[in-house]
Short mmCIF file of all heavy atoms in Angstrom, two decimals:
data_model
loop_
_atom_site.label_atom_id
_atom_site.label_comp_id
_atom_site.label_asym_id
_atom_site.label_seq_id
_atom_site.Cartn_x
_atom_site.Cartn_y
_atom_site.Cartn_z
N ALA A 371 10.48 -23.91 -19.62
CA ALA A 371 9.95 -22.60 -20.04
C ALA A 371 10.97 -21.59 -20.24
O ALA A 371 10.90 -20.83 -21.24
CB ALA A 371 8.88 -22.16 -19.06
N ALA A 378 10.27 -17.16 -27.82
CA ALA A 378 8.77 -17.35 -27.76
C ALA A 378 8.01 -16.06 -28.04
O ALA A 378 6.91 -16.09 -28.55
CB ALA A 378 8.28 -17.85 -26.47
N PRO A 380 6.26 -12.88 -29.46
CA PRO A 380 5.33 -12.30 -28.47
C PRO A 380 4.38 -13.22 -27.75
O PRO A 380 3.39 -12.84 -27.18
CB PRO A 380 4.47 -11.26 -29.34
CG PRO A 380 4.34 -12.07 -30.71
CD PRO A 380 5.71 -12.78 -30.84
N ASN A 381 4.66 -14.50 -27.76
CA ASN A 381 3.90 -15.51 -26.95
C ASN A 381 4.51 -15.60 -25.59
O ASN A 381 5.59 -15.25 -25.41
CB ASN A 381 3.87 -16.84 -27.72
CG ASN A 381 2.94 -16.79 -28.91
OD1 ASN A 381 2.21 -15.84 -29.22
ND2 ASN A 381 2.98 -17.90 -29.68
N PRO A 382 3.83 -16.24 -24.74
CA PRO A 382 4.24 -16.48 -23.36
C PRO A 382 5.36 -17.59 -23.28
O PRO A 382 5.42 -18.41 -24.20
CB PRO A 382 3.10 -16.80 -22.56
CG PRO A 382 2.15 -17.49 -23.50
CD PRO A 382 2.38 -16.66 -24.78
N LEU A 383 6.18 -17.60 -22.22
CA LEU A 383 7.08 -18.73 -21.99
C LEU A 383 6.35 -19.85 -21.24
O LEU A 383 5.72 -19.58 -20.27
CB LEU A 383 8.18 -18.19 -21.09
CG LEU A 383 9.11 -17.06 -21.69
CD1 LEU A 383 10.08 -16.57 -20.57
CD2 LEU A 383 9.88 -17.60 -22.88
N VAL A 384 6.38 -20.99 -21.88
CA VAL A 384 5.64 -22.07 -21.29
C VAL A 384 6.44 -23.36 -21.38
O VAL A 384 7.06 -23.64 -22.41
CB VAL A 384 4.29 -22.38 -22.02
CG1 VAL A 384 3.51 -23.48 -21.33
CG2 VAL A 384 3.43 -21.11 -22.09
N GLY A 385 6.55 -24.10 -20.28
CA GLY A 385 7.16 -25.41 -20.24
C GLY A 385 6.14 -26.44 -19.76
O GLY A 385 5.27 -26.12 -18.98
N ALA A 386 6.32 -27.72 -20.26
CA ALA A 386 5.39 -28.85 -19.86
C ALA A 386 6.13 -30.05 -19.58
O ALA A 386 7.06 -30.35 -20.35
CB ALA A 386 4.30 -28.93 -20.91
N VAL A 387 5.71 -30.84 -18.65
CA VAL A 387 6.25 -32.12 -18.32
C VAL A 387 5.15 -33.10 -18.11
O VAL A 387 4.22 -32.88 -17.35
CB VAL A 387 7.16 -32.06 -17.03
CG1 VAL A 387 7.65 -33.44 -16.67
CG2 VAL A 387 8.35 -31.13 -17.26
N GLU A 397 8.24 -34.09 -22.43
CA GLU A 397 8.43 -32.73 -21.98
C GLU A 397 8.71 -31.83 -23.14
O GLU A 397 9.05 -32.32 -24.25
CB GLU A 397 9.60 -32.62 -20.98
CG GLU A 397 10.99 -33.07 -21.51
CD GLU A 397 12.03 -33.04 -20.49
OE1 GLU A 397 11.79 -33.09 -19.28
OE2 GLU A 397 13.24 -32.96 -20.91
N GLY A 398 8.49 -30.61 -22.98
CA GLY A 398 8.65 -29.65 -24.07
C GLY A 398 8.50 -28.18 -23.59
O GLY A 398 8.07 -27.93 -22.47
N PHE A 399 8.87 -27.29 -24.54
CA PHE A 399 8.71 -25.85 -24.28
C PHE A 399 8.30 -25.22 -25.58
O PHE A 399 8.48 -25.83 -26.65
CB PHE A 399 10.02 -25.23 -23.64
CG PHE A 399 11.16 -25.27 -24.55
CD1 PHE A 399 11.45 -24.20 -25.39
CD2 PHE A 399 12.02 -26.37 -24.61
CE1 PHE A 399 12.55 -24.22 -26.24
CE2 PHE A 399 13.11 -26.38 -25.37
CZ PHE A 399 13.45 -25.38 -26.22
N HIS A 400 7.75 -23.97 -25.43
CA HIS A 400 7.19 -23.30 -26.61
C HIS A 400 8.25 -22.36 -27.28
O HIS A 400 8.93 -21.63 -26.51
CB HIS A 400 5.98 -22.53 -26.25
CG HIS A 400 5.45 -21.77 -27.39
ND1 HIS A 400 4.93 -22.33 -28.54
CD2 HIS A 400 5.25 -20.36 -27.55
CE1 HIS A 400 4.53 -21.33 -29.34
NE2 HIS A 400 4.76 -20.17 -28.76
N THR A 401 8.30 -22.33 -28.51
CA THR A 401 8.99 -21.24 -29.30
C THR A 401 8.00 -20.77 -30.37
O THR A 401 7.13 -21.56 -30.89
CB THR A 401 10.29 -21.70 -29.97
OG1 THR A 401 9.93 -22.65 -30.99
CG2 THR A 401 11.17 -22.37 -28.98
N TYR A 402 8.10 -19.48 -30.72
CA TYR A 402 7.12 -18.93 -31.58
C TYR A 402 7.25 -19.57 -32.99
O TYR A 402 6.18 -19.95 -33.63
CB TYR A 402 7.34 -17.44 -31.77
CG TYR A 402 6.33 -16.74 -32.60
CD1 TYR A 402 5.09 -16.32 -32.05
CD2 TYR A 402 6.50 -16.53 -33.98
CE1 TYR A 402 4.12 -15.73 -32.77
CE2 TYR A 402 5.55 -15.88 -34.73
CZ TYR A 402 4.40 -15.51 -34.13
OH TYR A 402 3.42 -14.88 -34.85
N GLU A 403 8.43 -19.84 -33.46
CA GLU A 403 8.67 -20.36 -34.78
C GLU A 403 8.24 -21.88 -34.75
O GLU A 403 7.86 -22.44 -35.79
CB GLU A 403 10.14 -20.28 -35.20
CG GLU A 403 10.62 -18.79 -35.33
CD GLU A 403 9.82 -18.00 -36.38
OE1 GLU A 403 9.16 -18.61 -37.25
OE2 GLU A 403 9.95 -16.75 -36.30
N GLY A 404 8.28 -22.53 -33.71
CA GLY A 404 7.92 -23.94 -33.56
C GLY A 404 6.50 -24.18 -33.59
O GLY A 404 5.96 -25.28 -33.80
N ILE A 405 5.66 -23.08 -33.38
CA ILE A 405 4.21 -23.04 -33.49
C ILE A 405 3.60 -23.87 -32.34
O ILE A 405 2.79 -23.35 -31.51
CB ILE A 405 3.70 -23.58 -34.85
CG1 ILE A 405 4.21 -22.69 -35.94
CG2 ILE A 405 2.16 -23.56 -34.82
CD1 ILE A 405 3.78 -23.12 -37.34
N ARG A 406 3.92 -25.16 -32.23
CA ARG A 406 3.23 -25.95 -31.24
C ARG A 406 3.44 -25.48 -29.85
O ARG A 406 4.56 -25.12 -29.49
CB ARG A 406 3.63 -27.44 -31.40
CG ARG A 406 3.27 -28.02 -32.70
CD ARG A 406 3.41 -29.53 -32.73
NE ARG A 406 3.13 -30.03 -34.03
CZ ARG A 406 1.93 -30.30 -34.54
NH1 ARG A 406 0.85 -29.94 -33.87
NH2 ARG A 406 1.81 -30.67 -35.79
N HIS A 407 2.43 -25.69 -29.02
CA HIS A 407 2.62 -25.27 -27.62
C HIS A 407 3.27 -26.35 -26.83
O HIS A 407 3.41 -27.54 -27.25
CB HIS A 407 1.14 -24.99 -27.05
CG HIS A 407 0.49 -23.77 -27.54
ND1 HIS A 407 -0.64 -23.23 -27.14
CD2 HIS A 407 0.95 -22.92 -28.60
CE1 HIS A 407 -0.94 -22.15 -27.79
NE2 HIS A 407 0.02 -21.96 -28.70
N ALA A 408 3.79 -26.01 -25.60
CA ALA A 408 4.59 -26.90 -24.87
C ALA A 408 3.89 -28.21 -24.53
O ALA A 408 4.49 -29.29 -24.54
CB ALA A 408 4.98 -26.22 -23.57
N GLU A 409 2.56 -28.06 -24.19
CA GLU A 409 1.86 -29.27 -23.92
C GLU A 409 1.76 -30.29 -25.06
O GLU A 409 1.96 -31.49 -24.83
CB GLU A 409 0.32 -28.92 -23.55
CG GLU A 409 0.21 -27.93 -22.41
CD GLU A 409 0.14 -26.47 -22.89
OE1 GLU A 409 0.89 -26.09 -23.77
OE2 GLU A 409 -0.72 -25.79 -22.34
N ILE A 410 1.67 -29.77 -26.28
CA ILE A 410 1.63 -30.72 -27.37
C ILE A 410 3.01 -31.31 -27.69
O ILE A 410 3.10 -32.53 -28.03
CB ILE A 410 1.20 -29.93 -28.70
CG1 ILE A 410 -0.14 -29.21 -28.44
CG2 ILE A 410 1.07 -30.83 -29.88
CD1 ILE A 410 -1.25 -30.16 -27.97
N VAL A 411 4.01 -30.55 -27.51
CA VAL A 411 5.38 -31.10 -27.63
C VAL A 411 5.55 -32.25 -26.67
O VAL A 411 6.15 -33.27 -26.93
CB VAL A 411 6.49 -29.99 -27.48
CG1 VAL A 411 7.85 -30.61 -27.60
CG2 VAL A 411 6.32 -28.91 -28.50
N ALA A 412 5.19 -32.05 -25.40
CA ALA A 412 5.33 -33.06 -24.39
C ALA A 412 4.51 -34.31 -24.73
O ALA A 412 4.92 -35.47 -24.51
CB ALA A 412 4.93 -32.52 -23.05
N LEU A 413 3.26 -34.07 -25.14
CA LEU A 413 2.39 -35.24 -25.49
C LEU A 413 3.03 -36.02 -26.64
O LEU A 413 2.95 -37.30 -26.64
CB LEU A 413 1.02 -34.76 -25.82
CG LEU A 413 0.12 -34.22 -24.65
CD1 LEU A 413 -1.12 -33.48 -25.22
CD2 LEU A 413 -0.32 -35.38 -23.72
N GLU A 414 3.54 -35.35 -27.62
CA GLU A 414 4.16 -36.05 -28.75
C GLU A 414 5.38 -36.84 -28.40
O GLU A 414 5.56 -37.94 -28.85
CB GLU A 414 4.49 -35.03 -29.84
CG GLU A 414 3.23 -34.50 -30.55
CD GLU A 414 3.64 -33.53 -31.68
OE1 GLU A 414 4.74 -33.08 -31.70
OE2 GLU A 414 2.76 -33.26 -32.56
N GLU A 415 6.20 -36.26 -27.51
CA GLU A 415 7.38 -36.98 -27.10
C GLU A 415 6.95 -38.25 -26.29
O GLU A 415 7.58 -39.34 -26.48
CB GLU A 415 8.27 -36.08 -26.14
CG GLU A 415 9.54 -36.74 -25.74
CD GLU A 415 10.43 -35.90 -24.95
OE1 GLU A 415 10.15 -35.84 -23.67
OE2 GLU A 415 11.38 -35.31 -25.49
N LEU A 427 15.36 -31.67 -28.64
CA LEU A 427 14.13 -31.05 -28.19
C LEU A 427 14.04 -29.70 -28.75
O LEU A 427 12.95 -29.25 -29.20
CB LEU A 427 14.20 -30.95 -26.62
CG LEU A 427 13.01 -30.31 -25.91
CD1 LEU A 427 11.75 -30.98 -26.27
CD2 LEU A 427 13.20 -30.31 -24.40
N ARG A 430 12.86 -30.00 -32.28
CA ARG A 430 11.38 -30.28 -32.45
C ARG A 430 10.60 -29.04 -32.09
O ARG A 430 9.54 -28.86 -32.64
CB ARG A 430 11.03 -31.42 -31.49
CG ARG A 430 11.71 -32.74 -31.89
CD ARG A 430 11.17 -33.90 -30.99
NE ARG A 430 9.79 -34.06 -31.12
CZ ARG A 430 8.95 -33.97 -30.06
NH1 ARG A 430 9.38 -33.74 -28.86
NH2 ARG A 430 7.61 -34.16 -30.26
N ALA A 431 11.05 -28.24 -31.11
CA ALA A 431 10.33 -27.09 -30.81
C ALA A 431 10.27 -26.10 -31.97
O ALA A 431 9.28 -25.35 -32.13
CB ALA A 431 10.92 -26.41 -29.55
N PHE A 432 11.37 -26.02 -32.75
CA PHE A 432 11.41 -25.14 -33.84
C PHE A 432 10.77 -25.70 -35.06
O PHE A 432 10.22 -25.02 -35.91
CB PHE A 432 12.89 -24.77 -34.22
CG PHE A 432 13.35 -23.58 -33.46
CD1 PHE A 432 14.19 -23.70 -32.36
CD2 PHE A 432 13.06 -22.28 -33.84
CE1 PHE A 432 14.60 -22.63 -31.73
CE2 PHE A 432 13.48 -21.26 -33.17
CZ PHE A 432 14.30 -21.36 -32.09
N HIS A 434 8.45 -28.22 -36.02
CA HIS A 434 7.31 -29.14 -36.03
C HIS A 434 6.47 -29.01 -37.35
O HIS A 434 5.82 -28.03 -37.63
CB HIS A 434 6.34 -28.90 -34.84
CG HIS A 434 6.76 -29.65 -33.60
ND1 HIS A 434 6.85 -31.02 -33.63
CD2 HIS A 434 7.16 -29.22 -32.46
CE1 HIS A 434 7.22 -31.40 -32.42
NE2 HIS A 434 7.39 -30.35 -31.72
N VAL A 444 -1.83 -21.32 -39.97
CA VAL A 444 -2.42 -21.78 -38.70
C VAL A 444 -2.39 -23.32 -38.73
O VAL A 444 -2.73 -23.93 -39.76
CB VAL A 444 -3.81 -21.35 -38.58
CG1 VAL A 444 -4.54 -21.93 -37.33
CG2 VAL A 444 -3.86 -19.84 -38.48
N LEU A 445 -2.03 -24.01 -37.70
CA LEU A 445 -1.99 -25.39 -37.52
C LEU A 445 -3.45 -25.90 -37.56
O LEU A 445 -4.25 -25.45 -36.78
CB LEU A 445 -1.31 -25.80 -36.20
CG LEU A 445 -0.87 -27.28 -36.12
CD1 LEU A 445 0.20 -27.51 -37.12
CD2 LEU A 445 -0.40 -27.56 -34.68
N ALA A 450 -3.80 -31.46 -35.76
CA ALA A 450 -3.67 -31.64 -34.26
C ALA A 450 -4.26 -32.94 -33.80
O ALA A 450 -3.74 -33.69 -32.97
CB ALA A 450 -4.31 -30.49 -33.57
N ILE A 457 -0.88 -40.54 -29.55
CA ILE A 457 -0.25 -40.37 -28.21
C ILE A 457 -1.22 -40.68 -27.05
O ILE A 457 -0.81 -40.66 -25.90
CB ILE A 457 0.31 -38.94 -28.03
CG1 ILE A 457 -0.82 -37.97 -28.15
CG2 ILE A 457 1.38 -38.62 -29.00
CD1 ILE A 457 -0.42 -36.51 -27.95
N LEU A 466 0.04 -33.90 -16.15
CA LEU A 466 0.63 -33.00 -16.94
C LEU A 466 0.98 -31.78 -16.02
O LEU A 466 0.13 -31.16 -15.42
CB LEU A 466 -0.21 -32.45 -18.08
CG LEU A 466 0.29 -31.30 -18.91
CD1 LEU A 466 1.50 -31.74 -19.73
CD2 LEU A 466 -0.84 -30.78 -19.83
N PHE A 467 2.25 -31.42 -15.93
CA PHE A 467 2.74 -30.28 -15.25
C PHE A 467 3.05 -29.21 -16.27
O PHE A 467 3.86 -29.42 -17.20
CB PHE A 467 3.99 -30.61 -14.44
CG PHE A 467 3.77 -31.61 -13.32
CD1 PHE A 467 3.84 -33.00 -13.60
CD2 PHE A 467 3.49 -31.17 -12.02
CE1 PHE A 467 3.62 -33.88 -12.61
CE2 PHE A 467 3.31 -32.08 -11.00
CZ PHE A 467 3.30 -33.46 -11.25
N VAL A 468 2.41 -28.08 -16.09
CA VAL A 468 2.50 -27.05 -17.11
C VAL A 468 2.64 -25.66 -16.41
O VAL A 468 1.92 -25.37 -15.36
CB VAL A 468 1.35 -27.02 -18.12
CG1 VAL A 468 0.07 -26.82 -17.42
CG2 VAL A 468 1.60 -26.06 -19.18
N THR A 469 3.51 -24.76 -16.89
CA THR A 469 3.77 -23.53 -16.16
C THR A 469 2.66 -22.46 -16.47
O THR A 469 2.57 -21.47 -15.66
CB THR A 469 5.09 -22.86 -16.61
OG1 THR A 469 5.08 -22.68 -18.02
CG2 THR A 469 6.19 -23.80 -16.25
N LEU A 470 1.78 -22.67 -17.39
CA LEU A 470 0.71 -21.74 -17.70
C LEU A 470 -0.56 -22.45 -18.08
O LEU A 470 -0.47 -23.59 -18.73
CB LEU A 470 1.12 -20.80 -18.84
CG LEU A 470 0.18 -19.64 -19.21
CD1 LEU A 470 0.18 -18.54 -18.19
CD2 LEU A 470 0.58 -19.05 -20.60
N GLU A 471 -1.67 -21.97 -17.72
CA GLU A 471 -2.94 -22.55 -18.05
C GLU A 471 -3.06 -22.96 -19.52
O GLU A 471 -2.74 -22.17 -20.40
CB GLU A 471 -4.06 -21.66 -17.71
CG GLU A 471 -5.49 -22.10 -18.12
CD GLU A 471 -6.54 -21.07 -17.76
OE1 GLU A 471 -6.19 -19.92 -17.34
OE2 GLU A 471 -7.79 -21.33 -17.94
N PRO A 472 -3.45 -24.18 -19.83
CA PRO A 472 -3.55 -24.65 -21.28
C PRO A 472 -4.64 -23.80 -22.02
O PRO A 472 -5.72 -23.46 -21.41
CB PRO A 472 -4.03 -26.09 -21.16
CG PRO A 472 -3.53 -26.57 -19.80
CD PRO A 472 -3.59 -25.33 -18.92
N CYS A 473 -4.34 -23.39 -23.26
CA CYS A 473 -5.29 -22.56 -23.91
C CYS A 473 -6.53 -23.32 -24.34
O CYS A 473 -6.48 -24.48 -24.55
CB CYS A 473 -4.55 -21.94 -25.22
SG CYS A 473 -4.15 -23.20 -26.45
N CYS A 474 -7.59 -22.59 -24.53
CA CYS A 474 -8.83 -23.19 -24.91
C CYS A 474 -9.47 -22.51 -26.08
O CYS A 474 -10.67 -22.67 -26.36
CB CYS A 474 -9.82 -23.16 -23.69
SG CYS A 474 -10.12 -21.50 -23.12
N HIS A 475 -8.64 -21.86 -26.96
CA HIS A 475 -9.12 -21.08 -28.10
C HIS A 475 -8.29 -21.44 -29.25
O HIS A 475 -7.15 -22.00 -29.08
CB HIS A 475 -9.10 -19.59 -27.84
CG HIS A 475 -7.75 -19.01 -27.64
ND1 HIS A 475 -7.00 -19.20 -26.53
CD2 HIS A 475 -6.90 -18.33 -28.50
CE1 HIS A 475 -5.85 -18.65 -26.61
NE2 HIS A 475 -5.76 -18.16 -27.76
N THR A 476 -8.73 -21.19 -30.45
CA THR A 476 -8.00 -21.46 -31.63
C THR A 476 -7.30 -20.18 -32.13
O THR A 476 -7.90 -19.14 -32.30
CB THR A 476 -8.86 -21.93 -32.74
OG1 THR A 476 -9.59 -23.08 -32.36
CG2 THR A 476 -8.10 -22.21 -34.11
N GLY A 477 -5.96 -20.33 -32.18
CA GLY A 477 -5.23 -19.16 -32.74
C GLY A 477 -4.36 -19.73 -33.85
O GLY A 477 -4.85 -20.08 -34.89
N ARG A 478 -2.96 -19.84 -33.61
CA ARG A 478 -2.15 -20.41 -34.60
C ARG A 478 -2.23 -21.93 -34.51
O ARG A 478 -1.78 -22.67 -35.38
CB ARG A 478 -0.71 -19.96 -34.42
CG ARG A 478 -0.49 -18.44 -34.60
CD ARG A 478 0.90 -17.99 -34.23
NE ARG A 478 1.90 -18.53 -35.14
CZ ARG A 478 3.12 -18.97 -34.81
NH1 ARG A 478 3.37 -19.11 -33.50
NH2 ARG A 478 3.96 -19.29 -35.70
N THR A 479 -2.76 -22.46 -33.44
CA THR A 479 -2.91 -23.85 -33.18
C THR A 479 -4.36 -24.13 -32.72
O THR A 479 -5.11 -23.21 -32.32
CB THR A 479 -1.95 -24.40 -32.16
OG1 THR A 479 -2.40 -23.96 -30.79
CG2 THR A 479 -0.53 -23.93 -32.40
N ALA A 480 -4.71 -25.37 -32.69
CA ALA A 480 -6.02 -25.77 -32.10
C ALA A 480 -5.85 -25.69 -30.57
O ALA A 480 -4.73 -25.64 -30.05
CB ALA A 480 -6.34 -27.22 -32.50
N PRO A 481 -6.99 -25.76 -29.87
CA PRO A 481 -6.93 -25.56 -28.34
C PRO A 481 -6.13 -26.70 -27.72
O PRO A 481 -6.32 -27.92 -28.07
CB PRO A 481 -8.37 -25.62 -27.92
CG PRO A 481 -9.12 -25.20 -29.15
CD PRO A 481 -8.38 -25.79 -30.27
N CYS A 482 -5.21 -26.35 -26.82
CA CYS A 482 -4.46 -27.41 -26.05
C CYS A 482 -5.40 -28.28 -25.17
O CYS A 482 -5.10 -29.44 -24.92
CB CYS A 482 -3.39 -26.76 -25.27
SG CYS A 482 -2.01 -26.17 -26.29
N THR A 483 -6.37 -27.59 -24.64
CA THR A 483 -7.34 -28.34 -23.77
C THR A 483 -7.89 -29.56 -24.45
O THR A 483 -8.05 -30.63 -23.89
CB THR A 483 -8.44 -27.46 -23.27
OG1 THR A 483 -9.03 -26.78 -24.38
CG2 THR A 483 -7.89 -26.41 -22.27
N LYS A 484 -8.24 -29.38 -25.73
CA LYS A 484 -8.85 -30.52 -26.55
C LYS A 484 -7.81 -31.69 -26.67
O LYS A 484 -8.21 -32.83 -26.53
CB LYS A 484 -9.27 -29.98 -27.91
CG LYS A 484 -10.32 -28.93 -27.95
CD LYS A 484 -11.68 -29.53 -27.66
CE LYS A 484 -12.82 -28.58 -28.00
NZ LYS A 484 -12.90 -27.42 -27.03
N ALA A 485 -6.53 -31.34 -26.86
CA ALA A 485 -5.57 -32.34 -26.98
C ALA A 485 -5.31 -33.08 -25.72
O ALA A 485 -5.13 -34.26 -25.65
CB ALA A 485 -4.20 -31.74 -27.55
N VAL A 486 -5.28 -32.36 -24.60
CA VAL A 486 -5.03 -32.95 -23.28
C VAL A 486 -6.18 -33.87 -22.98
O VAL A 486 -5.94 -34.98 -22.44
CB VAL A 486 -4.92 -31.77 -22.25
CG1 VAL A 486 -4.89 -32.40 -20.79
CG2 VAL A 486 -3.64 -30.99 -22.49
N ASP A 500 -3.78 -18.16 -17.04
CA ASP A 500 -3.30 -17.38 -18.19
C ASP A 500 -3.83 -15.94 -18.01
O ASP A 500 -5.05 -15.78 -17.89
CB ASP A 500 -3.80 -18.03 -19.50
CG ASP A 500 -3.19 -17.40 -20.71
OD1 ASP A 500 -2.70 -16.26 -20.68
OD2 ASP A 500 -3.23 -18.14 -21.75
N ASN A 502 -4.09 -13.84 -20.32
CA ASN A 502 -4.83 -13.52 -21.56
C ASN A 502 -6.32 -13.56 -21.24
O ASN A 502 -6.81 -14.57 -20.87
CB ASN A 502 -4.44 -14.51 -22.60
CG ASN A 502 -5.04 -14.13 -23.95
OD1 ASN A 502 -5.95 -13.32 -24.13
ND2 ASN A 502 -4.64 -14.82 -24.94
N VAL A 505 -8.46 -16.50 -22.36
CA VAL A 505 -8.37 -17.74 -21.56
C VAL A 505 -8.79 -17.51 -20.16
O VAL A 505 -9.92 -17.86 -19.75
CB VAL A 505 -6.92 -18.37 -21.71
CG1 VAL A 505 -6.90 -19.73 -21.00
CG2 VAL A 505 -6.49 -18.41 -23.10
N PHE A 536 4.73 -10.71 -20.97
CA PHE A 536 3.49 -11.09 -21.70
C PHE A 536 2.21 -10.62 -20.93
O PHE A 536 1.30 -10.12 -21.55
CB PHE A 536 3.42 -12.67 -21.77
CG PHE A 536 2.16 -13.16 -22.39
CD1 PHE A 536 1.90 -13.12 -23.80
CD2 PHE A 536 1.20 -13.81 -21.61
CE1 PHE A 536 0.78 -13.61 -24.27
CE2 PHE A 536 0.02 -14.32 -22.20
CZ PHE A 536 -0.20 -14.21 -23.55
#
Side-chain angles (χ1 to χ4, degrees):
N381 286 352
L383 297 171
V384 186
V387 174
E397 58 182 23
F399 63 94
H400 175 65
T401 67
Y402 187 85
E403 301 296 344
I405 299 178
R406 296 193 187 281
H407 291 187
E409 302 94 318
I410 305 304
V411 178
L413 287 168
E414 288 183 344
E415 186 179 79
L427 183 58
R430 294 183 62 236
F432 269 102
H434 273 301
V444 176
L445 196 67
I457 60 180
L466 175 67
F467 294 86
V468 63
T469 59
L470 186 71
E471 176 181 5
C473 70
C474 56
H475 65 287
T476 299
R478 297 170 73 223
T479 72
C482 287
T483 50
K484 296 284 193 289
V486 171
D500 193 335
N502 184 349
V505 185
F536 177 75

